[in-house]
Amino acid sequence: MADIIKLLPDHVANQIAAGEVVQRPASVVKELLENALDAGSTTIKLIVKDGGKALIQVVDDGVGMSATDARLSFERHATSKIQQAEDLFNLNTKGFRGEALASIGAIAHVEMQTKPEEEEVGTHLKMEGSKIVFQEVTVTPKGTSMAVKNLFFNIPARRNFLKSNQVELRHITDEFHRVALAHPTVSFHFYHNGSELFNLPADNYRKRIVNIFGSRTNEKLVPVDEETPIVKISGFITKPEFAKKSRGEQFFFVNNRFIKSPYLHHAVVSAFEGLIKPDTFPGYFLYLEVAPGSIDINIHPTKTEVKFDDEHTLYAILRSTVKHSLGQFNVAPALDFDQDPNLDTPYDFKNKSAVQPQVTVDANFNPFSETPKKSSSSPTYSYQPKASKNWDSLYVGMESKMGGNEPINSISFESEAITGSIFENEKEVQETVATTFQIRRKYIVTSIKSGMVVIDQSRAHQRVLYEKFLKNSTVKDAVSQQLLFPLTLTFSRAEIHTLKEIKEVLLSIGFIFEDMKEDAITVTGIPLLVTESEVGMILDQLISDYQQEINGESFSQSDILSKTLAKTLAVKTGEILDNQSQIALVNDLFACTDATVSPFNKPVYVTITENDIDKKFI
């Protein structure tokens, strides 16, 4: 039998390994920024073009590399971070695997310029698909400049898998935020297609958060600080009234490394129990310091999933720390049993006894008597009503005034406006109402000739609203309602940037904006179907859906915004609908162009025929 197992070539092995490390341009940004931090940089520049597809460049002022180190850094499992296996349990650096540069070099065009401080000249190295094109001496400042061009140029399937430039930029911005928040003492600059998105000077944690998410964030933050033998917790949480329906401002950092931990997230959310609505999420920026040997970060190449030795104790400490901060800064409501000094008896009235008030009553007063008796204590009025013998005497002489002997009952008087019915036959109304029922406050059942139809009320209303908003977005002069008082809403810089991109579509739907600043917008008009209290929630959801493009699918701006508005404003499961509302919803649904599915491609109704019912009784 011939041998069938063979060693893979190095360039193939590197491409396979790249699938674990490099998933999208944001993965490259993360690896290059972490390498720059491990090099001891104080200033880092990130330059991106076309959402990272054309160019990702990171320039730092770190220690740099010699010519030998520059060439060796692109080999697999070559690293300066660890020397032996025991070092894995005492990691103080971001990277340690030695796979990042080798994986990036296998699937992109990489150009590196680096120079140590003590050297007079540096090294210029160029690589394409794991092959060194050239390496030569060059003049370059201290530090390293790493440029990654044409990502996935030799893997077309992976390149086609990438989303739009806007979505990829969003992922890159998220990675940038995670690195910049973990290292406030390092200055960061972020450029995209020649425009500066962030300029973050070296500062403390609070100012770094404010510089990233806007100046209005400062009033939302509540400090957290607790130190125990197991963990030291510091950072900030946001006040309960600023909780959002979408995730986005939840950050955990362990030993200055961003992590994802649903278990610890639940600890924070449970501390807010009773202070926020069930469907909202609190914001937090929490920094945890633990012994390096008590965590294992060597679980996944992205190094965002970690394993703690004692998660249960950490959960309890984190939950109590957050609750303590909420109570310490009077964020959480508390019962006050102290007596209000305003309720104390004044000193002048302390020894006085209560006096019964004097009330004068006329015992002989009869409101039904024709001539009320005068009381000595009651005032005298000059007006005396005239007593009428009978009510019919009021109409004496009416015939002469009308100019004839026409009887009184033949006179026509102006009556109240008669409200007509859209149904000519009253029996038709009763029959129509009787054939529509609501079940479990979720489904509407209506009868048809062949049987019955069971409709999901929420999905049906989503379809109706979706088509209405989509139709309105194609009309230039959309109808909107003016607000008596302008509404000012605060957002982060990234969210304001997204709102500016979709501003034209928002105007076509019915929103009117008076001003858009770096961290706030002023709304003066809203669509007819939207209430003022829902504006902030709707815009938050619009931003989230547009940035994610509704689970990654490619839609137009009008389609995305129409879906979000329909989902937010539609009747929810559990709402009671009267008979008229049920009928109107059924009629509007079957007037839609496609009544079978919701805007999110979920079935709206099911049909149960008479034969299906008969089969149940066989």
Side-chain angles (χ1 to χ4, degrees):
M1 181 177 178
D3 298 334
I4 60 175
I5 296 179
K6 298 179 181 179
L7 286 174
L8 290 174
D10 289 341
H11 69 279
V12 177
N14 287 337
Q15 288 185 11
I16 296 174
E20 288 286 332
V21 179
V22 183
Q23 300 174 357
R24 60 194 332 146
S27 305
V28 177
V29 172
K30 175 181 180 295
E31 298 293 342
L32 297 183
L33 289 178
E34 289 182 348
N35 284 343
L37 291 169
D38 288 338
S41 306
T42 57
T43 301
I44 299 176
K45 295 181 181 179
L46 172 62
I47 303 169
V48 176
K49 289 184 179 180
D50 298 337
K53 299 175 184 178
L55 172 67
I56 299 172
Q57 185 176 5
V58 174
V59 182
D60 66 66
D61 58 352
V63 296
M65 289 181 283
S66 64
T68 304
D69 288 342
R71 175 65 183 84
L72 193 60
S73 64
F74 287 95
E75 298 293 333
R76 291 188 66 194
H77 310 303
T79 179
S80 62
K81 314 299 173 63
I82 62 173
Q83 302 296 330
Q84 52 191 356
E86 287 75 12
D87 294 339
L88 290 172
F89 302 100
N90 191 26
L91 288 171
N92 295 308
T93 56
K94 306 298 177 186
F96 56 87
R97 293 175 179 271
E99 293 180 341
L101 292 183
S103 299
I104 295 172
I107 56 175
H109 297 164
V110 181
E111 189 172 350
M112 181 173 65
Q113 296 184 22
T114 181
K115 184 183 85 70
E117 185 175 9
E118 62 274 7
E119 298 288 340
E120 294 183 357
V121 293
T123 302
H124 185 192
L125 184 146
K126 191 173 182 181
M127 172 179 285
E128 295 180 0
S130 297
K131 296 180 180 179
I132 301 294
V133 177
F134 69 84
Q135 180 176 350
E136 60 185 14
V137 176
T138 186
V139 177
T140 183
K142 171 204 169 186
T144 302
S145 173
M146 188 77 68
V148 178
K149 305 176 182 178
N150 304 324
L151 192 64
F152 298 124
F153 79 99
N154 53 357
I155 311 179
R158 290 294 298 274
R159 189 172 181 86
N160 294 334
F161 176 75
L162 298 178
K163 307 301 179 185
S164 64
N165 293 347
Q166 180 62 32
V167 174
E168 296 300 337
L169 176 63
R170 173 62 180 171
H171 288 285
I172 291 174
T173 305
D174 288 341
E175 291 293 347
F176 177 80
H177 286 171
R178 294 165 182 174
V179 175
L181 288 171
H183 302 85
T185 58
V186 179
S187 175
F188 287 91
H189 303 268
F190 184 10
Y191 304 88
H192 180 253
N193 290 343
S195 61
E196 184 181 69
L197 298 184
F198 292 95
N199 184 354
L200 307 176
D203 224 317
N204 55 28
Y205 286 117
R206 189 181 193 111
K207 291 186 178 180
R208 174 56 57 89
I209 295 172
V210 172
N211 288 334
I212 291 178
F213 294 99
S215 58
R216 299 291 181 93
T217 310
N218 191 33
E219 63 185 29
K220 305 178 184 179
L221 301 179
V222 177
V224 176
D225 190 12
E226 188 70 35
E227 186 172 358
T228 66
I230 298 176
V231 60
K232 179 181 179 182
I233 302 174
S234 60
F236 303 91
I237 55 176
T238 58
K239 296 178 181 178
E241 58 264 30
F242 296 104
K244 296 183 177 181
K245 294 198 69 174
S246 59
R247 299 173 183 263
E249 295 182 1
Q250 291 85 28
F251 295 90
F252 276 119
F253 301 95
V254 176
N255 295 349
N256 290 334
R257 183 192 303 275
F258 172 80
I259 67 165
K260 296 178 181 178
S261 176
Y263 189 63
L264 297 183
H265 171 76
H266 186 271
V268 177
V269 173
S270 63
F272 278 86
E273 186 177 1
L275 301 177
I276 60 176
K277 296 180 180 179
D279 297 333
T280 58
F281 302 95
Y284 52 82
F285 309 86
L286 297 176
Y287 301 84
L288 284 67
E289 295 182 19
V290 298
S294 64
I295 60 172
D296 183 10
I297 60 177
N298 192 22
I299 297 177
H300 193 272
T302 59
K303 296 183 281 291
T304 57
E305 301 175 7
V306 299
K307 180 67 176 177
F308 296 95
D309 285 349
D310 192 357
E311 286 187 332
H312 297 289
T313 303
L314 195 61
Y315 180 99
I317 294 175
L318 180 60
R319 183 176 182 271
S320 61
T321 300
V322 174
K323 289 185 73 70
H324 175 70
S325 295
L326 290 172
Q328 182 180 8
F329 293 92
N330 295 326
V331 178
L335 295 176
D336 186 9
F337 293 100
D338 295 335
Q339 184 178 0
D340 189 351
N342 295 326
L343 301 178
D344 293 339
T345 305
Y347 182 78
D348 296 338
F349 294 88
K350 188 174 182 180
N351 298 323
K352 291 184 177 181
S353 59
V355 179
Q356 185 175 0
Q358 299 295 329
V359 179
T360 304
V361 179
D362 186 2
N364 298 322
F365 175 73
N366 185 3
F368 301 102
S369 62
E370 294 184 357
T371 55
K373 297 180 179 180
K374 295 183 181 180
S375 174
S376 59
S377 59
S378 60
T380 303
Y381 296 96
S382 59
Y383 172 77
Q384 293 294 335
K386 296 180 180 180
S388 299
K389 297 180 179 179
N390 285 317
W391 64 271
D392 53 355
S393 64
L394 296 174
Y395 299 95
V396 175
M398 184 70 74
E399 295 83 356
S400 61
K401 291 181 181 180
M402 292 189 301
N405 298 323
E406 185 179 356
I408 190 69
N409 54 9
S410 65
I411 303 174
S412 61
F413 296 94
E414 182 180 0
S415 61
E416 296 182 357
I418 300 175
T419 304
S421 175
I422 60 175
F423 298 101
E424 295 180 359
N425 190 356
E426 191 67 18
K427 293 182 179 180
E428 185 181 353
V429 179
Q430 296 176 357
E431 291 176 1
T432 307
V433 173
T435 56
T436 305
F437 304 95
Q438 187 181 26
I439 299 178
R440 299 289 184 182
R441 301 182 181 181
K442 183 177 183 180
Y443 300 106
I444 296 175
V445 180
T446 182
S447 61
I448 57 177
K449 292 182 179 180
S450 60
M452 67 175 66
V453 178
V454 182
I455 303 172
D456 187 305
Q457 66 182 30
S458 181
R459 295 180 185 178
H461 201 204
Q462 287 179 18
R463 166 54 64 176
V464 173
L465 293 178
Y466 167 70
E467 294 198 1
K468 284 185 180 179
F469 283 118
L470 197 61
K471 182 180 179 180
N472 291 340
S473 63
T474 59
V475 181
K476 293 184 178 180
D477 297 330
V479 180
S480 62
Q481 51 182 336
Q482 298 292 322
L483 297 178
L484 183 60
F485 300 101
L487 186 63
T488 302
L489 303 173
T490 60
F491 296 96
S492 65
R493 293 182 180 178
E495 293 171 337
I496 292 292
H497 181 72
T498 302
L499 286 175
K500 289 181 178 178
E501 290 187 353
I502 61 178
K503 181 179 179 181
E504 295 299 326
V505 183
L506 291 174
L507 293 176
S508 67
I509 291 177
F511 284 97
I512 300 177
F513 302 102
E514 185 180 75
D515 189 17
M516 277 194 175
K517 301 179 181 179
E518 291 185 356
D519 56 358
I521 63 171
T522 302
V523 183
T524 58
I526 57 178
L528 292 178
L529 298 176
V530 178
T531 60
E532 184 177 351
S533 60
E534 297 173 329
V535 174
M537 176 183 62
I538 290 174
L539 291 180
D540 284 338
Q541 193 65 42
L542 284 174
I543 294 171
S544 176
D545 289 345
Y546 179 72
Q547 290 171 346
Q548 302 299 329
E549 282 194 1
I550 309 294
N551 299 328
E553 299 180 19
S554 180
F555 294 99
S556 64
Q557 291 183 354
S558 300
D559 193 73
I560 295 172
L561 301 186
S562 299
K563 286 182 177 180
T564 301
L565 288 171
K567 180 181 178 181
T568 306
L569 299 177
V571 295
K572 305 297 187 294
T573 298
E575 294 187 20
I576 300 176
L577 301 180
D578 56 23
N579 289 331
Q580 294 180 353
S581 300
Q582 297 171 24
I583 297 171
L585 181 58
V586 172
N587 294 335
D588 290 343
L589 172 64
F590 290 104
C592 295
T593 56
D594 185 5
T596 57
V597 294
S598 72
F600 303 94
N601 293 324
K602 294 182 179 179
V604 174
Y605 66 86
V606 293
T607 303
I608 303 175
T609 64
E610 187 176 354
N611 293 333
D612 295 334
I613 300 175
D614 291 340
K615 291 178 182 178
K616 299 294 183 181
F617 293 94
I618 295 177

